[in-house]
């Protein structure tokens, strides 16, 4: 059983593999399609029906209690570019194994289910190719419309609908109704490793505000346009990158995170003063008040940057992911089942966004972490030890068992 999980994980990790032990399976690409097919095959072999909904989410369902809602277990198979093999994919495979464990227990007569269990791969959690991130899970909970999902386009102009059709991932099935959701994920930080803890129990998520900014300048010749005539969009954008970093120092240490993660220069020629730069910026804090203070500060400073660099700074889109507590009784239950397994736990917030953050707005949700070596993530060096992977599958299986037996049908 245990070797079984590691072998399955090795097979899944070979799909879209890149040098250094990582994977590249951005949402809706051929590699994402192959990973989804591999998981669908695993689910069918283990007796689950495979469903695809209209926004690219993939489900494995097996009705133990006809008509009852489902305890959903899952995460995401898509990855960032040149990413690690654990982020998301570990959670989907752990969910599949935990669901099989539940079904085996029901069939073996050691578990009486009150609700069903289902496995899910949420489409496009990462948001690298198509924005926004948490796309499939947000559509499931109704915070993003299906039309907006299908119409979102990547940098090459391909829509989600086209990308999903190309990998045969667009379905018509009604997604299974959830009674509860549980997800296990790598921590992507160093808290668990530093404390010598086996399992992190997420109590709340950090608030995040994301911005898409366009700096408008005027395109010109780098050799022939005199300095006083320039409206250099890249100069303005570069100042925004520095501004995002400097704003952090106006808040207490460790309380605010900011980053410019994407930066597109037009026309990006060595002899052209850039006419336009598009950039993505995010601001995060556990304290929603600090995110709002930073927001006000940034908007004010954007105009100052614009004036100083003789360009126009336009915020074309901004969105807020609120901070929210996870269901306290599920945190308690997760703690109890981890203790039964003899594991050390630690209650903590999640700094990163996860599909569980979206599901937490709809149903009681548990989010569990396993340790990440050195806290490295979104990079091929991402690593979680085999023993930690197996402990996580064990805890998720125990939690799933309890949820399937305890969650009353609506
Ligand atoms: Zn993830």
């Amino acid at each position: 059983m245990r070797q079984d999980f590691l072998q399955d994980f090795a097979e899944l990790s070979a799909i879209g593999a890149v040098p250094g032990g990582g994977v590249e399976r951005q949402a809706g690409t051929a590699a994402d399609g192959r990973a989804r097919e591999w998981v669908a095959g695993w689910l069918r072999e283990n007796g689950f029906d495979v469903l695809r909904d209209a926004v690219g989410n993939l489900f494995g369902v097996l009705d133990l209690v006809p008509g009852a809602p489902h305890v959903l277990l899952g995460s995401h198979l898509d990855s960032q570019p040149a990413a690690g093999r654990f982020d998301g994919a570990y959670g989907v495979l752990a969910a599949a194994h935990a669901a099989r464990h539940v079904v085996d227990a029901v069939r073996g007569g050691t578990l009486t289910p009150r609700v069903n269990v289902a496995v899910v791969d949420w489409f496009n959690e990462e948001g690298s190719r198509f924005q926004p991130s948490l796309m499939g899970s947000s559509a499931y909970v109704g915070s993003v419309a299906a039309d907006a999902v299908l119409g979102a386009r990547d940098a090459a102009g391909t829509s989600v609908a086209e990308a999903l059709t190309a990998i045969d991932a667009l379905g018509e099935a009604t997604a299974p109704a959830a009674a509860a959701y549980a997800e296990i994920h790598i921590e992507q930080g160093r808290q668990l490793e530093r404390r010598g803890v086996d399992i992190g129990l997420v109590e709340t998520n950090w608030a995040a505000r994301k911005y898409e900014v366009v700096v408008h300048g005027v395109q010109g010749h780098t050799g022939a346009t005199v300095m006083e005539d320039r409206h250099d969009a890249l100069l303005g954008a570069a100042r925004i990158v520095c501004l995002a970093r400097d704003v952090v120092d106006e808040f207490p240490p460790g309380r605010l995170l900011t980053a410019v993660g994407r930066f597109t220069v037009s026309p990006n020629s060595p002899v052209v003063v850039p006419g336009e730069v598009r950039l993505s910026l995010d601001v995060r804090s556990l304290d929603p008040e600090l995110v709002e203070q930073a927001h006000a500060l940034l908007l004010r400073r954007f105009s100052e940057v614009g004036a100083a660099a003789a360009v126009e700074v336009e915020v074309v889109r901004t969105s807020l992911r609120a901070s929210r507590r996870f269901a306290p009784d599920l945190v308690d239950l997760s703690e109890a089942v981890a203790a039964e397994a003899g594991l050390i736990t630690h209650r903590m917030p999640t700094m990163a966004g996860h599909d569980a953050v979206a599901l937490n707005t709809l149903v009681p949700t548990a989010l569990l972490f396993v340790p990440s070596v050195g806290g490295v993530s979104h990079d091929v060096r991402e690593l979680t030890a085999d023993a930690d992977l197996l402990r996580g599958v064990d805890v998720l299986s125990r939690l799933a068992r309890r949820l399937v037996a305890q969650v009353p049908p609506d």
Side-chain angles (χ1 to χ4, degrees):
M1 180 83 170
R2 305 197 122 203
Q3 207 49 38
D4 194 2
F5 179 84
L6 295 176
Q7 276 166 8
D8 283 347
F9 189 65
E11 271 188 44
L12 179 55
S13 302
I15 301 171
V18 295
V23 296
E24 176 149 350
R25 296 194 296 244
Q26 293 194 67
T29 58
D32 184 27
R34 290 197 301 277
R36 293 164 58 100
E37 271 316 299
W38 187 91
V39 167
W42 188 101
L43 289 166
R44 281 192 212 96
E45 274 170 33
N46 286 279
F48 292 82
D49 288 328
V50 173
L51 308 178
R52 294 173 182 83
D53 74 7
V55 291
N57 297 319
L58 177 78
F59 298 92
V61 295
L62 195 156
D63 275 5
L64 305 166
V65 186
H70 299 74
V71 171
L72 285 183
L73 308 172
S75 192
H76 60 96
L77 291 172
D78 73 309
S79 81
Q80 292 286 335
R85 64 189 186 274
F86 300 89
D87 179 356
Y90 165 62
V92 174
L93 192 61
H97 277 252
R100 183 174 70 181
H101 174 81
V102 165
V103 173
D104 288 349
V106 170
R107 294 198 171 138
T110 59
L111 175 66
T112 306
R114 296 186 64 185
V115 290
N116 293 304
V117 65
V119 179
V120 55
D121 160 39
W122 301 111
F123 176 66
N124 186 28
E125 189 271 351
E126 295 288 357
S128 55
R129 180 182 178 193
F130 299 105
Q131 291 77 48
S133 57
L134 313 187
M135 191 176 253
S137 50
S138 296
Y140 180 85
V141 304
S143 63
V144 173
D147 285 352
V149 166
L150 296 174
R153 289 183 186 275
D154 68 7
T158 304
S159 70
V160 165
E162 290 159 357
L164 286 173
T165 303
I167 58 166
D168 194 24
L170 197 55
E172 294 174 342
T174 304
Y181 177 67
E183 176 168 355
I184 194 157
H185 202 281
I186 56 166
E187 183 202 351
Q188 305 176 290
R190 287 189 286 140
Q191 291 290 320
L192 300 181
E193 183 180 75
R194 201 184 272 162
R195 293 166 190 268
V197 164
D198 302 311
I199 298 286
L201 309 169
V202 175
E203 290 188 295
T204 184
N205 65 285
W206 277 39
R209 186 173 272 285
K210 303 194 173 196
Y211 304 81
E212 192 178 337
V213 175
V214 176
V215 180
H216 302 278
V218 176
Q219 193 170 323
H221 192 307
T222 55
T225 312
V226 296
M227 297 310 282
E228 60 265 36
D229 287 349
R230 291 192 190 188
H231 302 276
D232 183 343
L234 182 52
L235 175 65
R239 289 188 173 175
I240 289 177
V241 175
C242 297
L243 165 65
R245 173 61 190 86
D246 292 344
V247 156
V248 171
D249 295 333
E250 298 184 35
F251 292 84
R255 301 292 299 281
L256 196 77
L257 296 179
T258 66
V260 172
R262 186 165 61 169
F263 203 83
T264 311
V265 181
S266 297
N268 211 22
S269 159
V271 284
V272 178
V273 175
E276 185 185 286
V277 176
R278 186 172 282 265
L279 59 93
S280 303
L281 189 160
D282 65 36
V283 175
R284 300 166 195 251
S285 177
L286 180 59
D287 183 347
E289 184 54 36
L290 297 192
V291 172
E292 283 318 293
Q293 285 174 19
H295 177 55
L297 203 59
L298 282 171
L299 292 183
R300 204 160 58 236
R301 302 270 170 86
F302 284 163
S303 359
E304 293 169 13
V305 164
V311 293
E312 191 207 329
V313 179
E314 182 193 4
V315 178
V316 290
R317 190 161 50 222
T318 175
S319 62
L320 178 68
R321 180 188 299 149
S323 174
R324 181 182 281 269
R325 292 195 69 77
F326 284 78
D329 47 341
L330 288 199
V331 178
D332 292 346
L333 183 60
S334 305
E335 193 170 55
V337 298
E340 276 169 24
L343 301 179
I344 304 165
T345 55
H346 173 61
R347 292 174 176 236
M348 61 193 296
T350 175
M351 296 168 77
H354 296 289
D355 293 306
V357 171
L359 268 289
N360 190 36
T361 65
L362 184 73
V363 288
T365 293
L367 176 59
L368 309 175
F369 285 158
V370 290
S372 292
V373 174
V376 176
S377 189
H378 287 183
D379 186 272
V380 296
R381 293 170 300 130
E382 188 179 270
L383 184 63
T384 294
D386 287 351
D388 286 321
L389 297 176
L390 295 174
R391 286 185 193 108
V393 176
D394 183 29
V395 171
L396 186 67
S397 301
R398 289 168 185 266
L399 178 62
R401 237 181 115 104
R402 298 283 283 268
L403 288 172
V404 164
Q406 287 185 356
V407 173
D410 273 331

